[in-house]
Amino acid sequence: MNPLLNQPFSTPYQTPPFSAFETKDFKPAFLHAIKNARLEIKNIAENQAEPTFENTIEALALSGEALSRISSIFFNLNSAETNDEIQQIAQEISPILSDFSNDVLLNEQLFARVKKVFEEKESLSLNNEAQMLLEKSYKNFKKNGALLSGENKEKLRTISKELAMLSLQFGQNLLAETNDYQLHITNKSDLEGLPDFALETAKEEAESRNLSGWVFTLQMPSYLSFLKFARNRKLREQIYRANGVKAFKNNDKNNDKNNTEIIKKIVRLRFQRAKLLGFETHADFVLDERMAKSKEKVNDFLAELLKKAYPLAKKEIENLADFAKGIDGIEDLMPWDHAFYVEKLKKQRFDLSDEELKPYFELNQVTEGAFTIAQKLYGISFVPNNKIEVYHPDVKVFEVKNKAQECIGIFYADFFPRVGKRAGAWMTSFRDGSFVNNLHKIPQISIVCNFTKPTKNEPSLLTFDEVTILFHEFGHALHALLAKTQYESLAGTNVYWDFVELPSQFMENFCYEPEALALFAKHYQTKEVIPKELVDKITASAQFMEAYQTVRQISFGKLDMAWHATDPSSIDDVDVYENQAFEATQIYPKISGTNMSTSFAHIFQGGYSAGYYSYKWAEVLDADAFELFKENGIFDAETAQKFHRLLSAGGTVDPMKLYIEFRGKEPDINALLKRAGILAQ
């Protein structure tokens, strides 16, 4: 029997038995699971009994479990451990999955039952979660064309299928372009300024490619280290430009990895889908179920932040340019100079550098620190379990236990870059938690990052930025692990997209707190706790270049809205259009031949289209939320218990209502501006 179909898996906590799967198992498993899921849907739609919440809405929520499980395993591997064969199956199976999804959501008989239950909701004795499931189920059908005519349903079906394929191709092109580049250095003088850890990693990278010397890549730890430390300005420019032309440059093989045409097709199809469903633009379609509610509110929010941050950001870069000119005679500060001189200026101003901090942030210690903070806040513990299988030797697994030592979740941690893994950092799930019919299915959650691997001589030492990334993704994981919901579709991170970043960004705050740092920031050799003077410097430098970083994030949000809050039909030149979108936020000169959109995976491959603003939106929430912890004590039990309630509710309660229950008021944008040091100035 196909091991993917042998469900529930007879493994500890029904975790995926990765060693039992072969890549060739996936496609037949998908086809079989889709066939069974179709039968389940048919039985619900053709049920002769009167539609009820249980026989229609709940039955629908519980259907297709095997298909959902296979999909989560496969697409997580496609992101974290892919190969040509997996990518080929993804190309083949995505349109089939799109067809199945459309067949469900455009099933008139099924929708008639859902609609009848929805129209009778006032007379039903449903709890809050059941009411939310009913409402979301009805809206999901409506937003996916259930009210359309037959002809328009077919149009929508075609659009959905094509969008699935284009998004997949966008990501595959980007991964290939990232993997294809190498900066091969054989002259040691070209390495001046680079610290030992970066040199050792680059040496091992070269050896893995059967090359002499050193190799730097576009994987983030390698790329950022080079920009931050290499004195050779020409080589910094070279690697910066290489990163900036990913999926934008003309390739040798008929431009087969160029994403410009894919972008134009994606935004046009998204716009067509929105119009078909009665929305003005794709942004209106998306924001219909977001805290922000409208593109006008998003644009006003970004404009307000920009108005306050831009003057200070411009001043920060002018000061940085003066600094670069003063020490190195640089006449024209360019983007490839930014990280290099920021690091030097930070060292001068605060006597602080990543090199000085890294020995205190050994990866295992930082991970244990995150676990300890979660234990102090929520009473949970993380216990290694070597009997649970992993998809790559680098991955570690932990049982998550409550105070009663009951297992409430499984946590996977995958920290290092490799060829088959996309860039960036993310949290994902192999299964969300649920509790239906007295059956508790615990969540199986993973965080995936790209930190510097240990070398022969040194463990994995994190930059402070990487520490905050780990805490960020761990915050997402806690949101999913602490879920106390009946239904998977409402568990953990299944919330409004501009609310989902609150738990992750909230956790980043602990990285700046002396009481929290004392738990895990210990020198990897001497075990000495990070000295108070270094902690003071971290705290003092928290606002360093923060206005510039704020403007940078706003620029991405504005680019996202430019693509999705207008009619894109007449957009011909991706680069010209991007430049117009960036104009109001531009501080550094535009670098000819580079483009951001062609590698903007968040909005063209991930789920952030018309939603990138949510990072800054959620920063307002997290800054405002953490103010309460600062007032009461960062590990105050009562405050933590209130926040625990917010996390465990998942998507069962309207997010603003949840937030007000926790905080006692709506969030205040000034909390973010004050924390960033923008308000005072």
Side-chain angles (χ1 to χ4, degrees), residues 547-586:
Y548 172 75
Q549 289 302 328
T550 297
V551 170
R552 186 170 177 270
Q553 284 293 94
I554 293 168
S555 74
F556 298 156
K558 285 177 74 66
L559 177 61
D560 175 27
M561 293 305 285
W563 282 119
H564 293 117
T566 56
D567 178 352
S569 307
S570 61
I571 299 170
D572 181 53
D573 190 313
V574 166
D575 199 41
V576 168
Y577 191 72
E578 174 176 292
N579 292 343
Q580 291 169 352
F582 276 153
E583 194 173 353
T585 57
Q586 199 84 42

Side-chain angles (χ1 to χ4, degrees), residues 522-646:
K522 299 172 184 177
H523 197 285
Y524 79 99
Q525 290 172 318
T526 67
K527 306 305 176 189
E528 170 201 9
V529 174
I530 190 168
K532 182 179 182 301
E533 55 267 29
L534 278 184
V535 175
D536 290 343
K537 289 173 186 178
I538 289 172
T539 306
S541 67
Q543 296 176 350
F544 180 61
M545 302 298 292
E546 193 62 25
Y548 172 75
Q549 289 302 328
T550 297
V551 170
R552 186 170 177 270
Q553 284 293 94
I554 293 168
S555 74
F556 298 156
K558 285 177 74 66
L559 177 61
D560 175 27
M561 293 305 285
W563 282 119
H564 293 117
T566 56
D567 178 352
S569 307
S570 61
I571 299 170
D572 181 53
D573 190 313
V574 166
D575 199 41
V576 168
Y577 191 72
E578 174 176 292
N579 292 343
Q580 291 169 352
F582 276 153
E583 194 173 353
T585 57
Q586 199 84 42
I587 297 178
Y588 280 108
K590 158 71 178 175
I591 304 305
S592 177
T594 64
N595 188 270
M596 161 73 184
S597 297
T598 55
S599 59
F600 202 170
H602 274 76
I603 67 170
F604 293 120
Q605 181 190 5
Y608 280 85
S609 64
Y612 199 86
Y613 76 91
S614 62
Y615 281 104
K616 297 313 289 185
W617 182 278
E619 271 191 59
V620 173
L621 300 178
D622 95 72
D624 189 66
F626 202 71
E627 271 194 356
L628 188 62
F629 278 84
K630 295 274 279 185
E631 289 166 13
N632 298 335
I634 65 168
F635 296 122
D636 177 66
E638 187 179 342
T639 312
Q641 189 175 23
K642 286 182 183 177
F643 201 71
H644 189 175
R645 150 75 183 146
L646 178 148

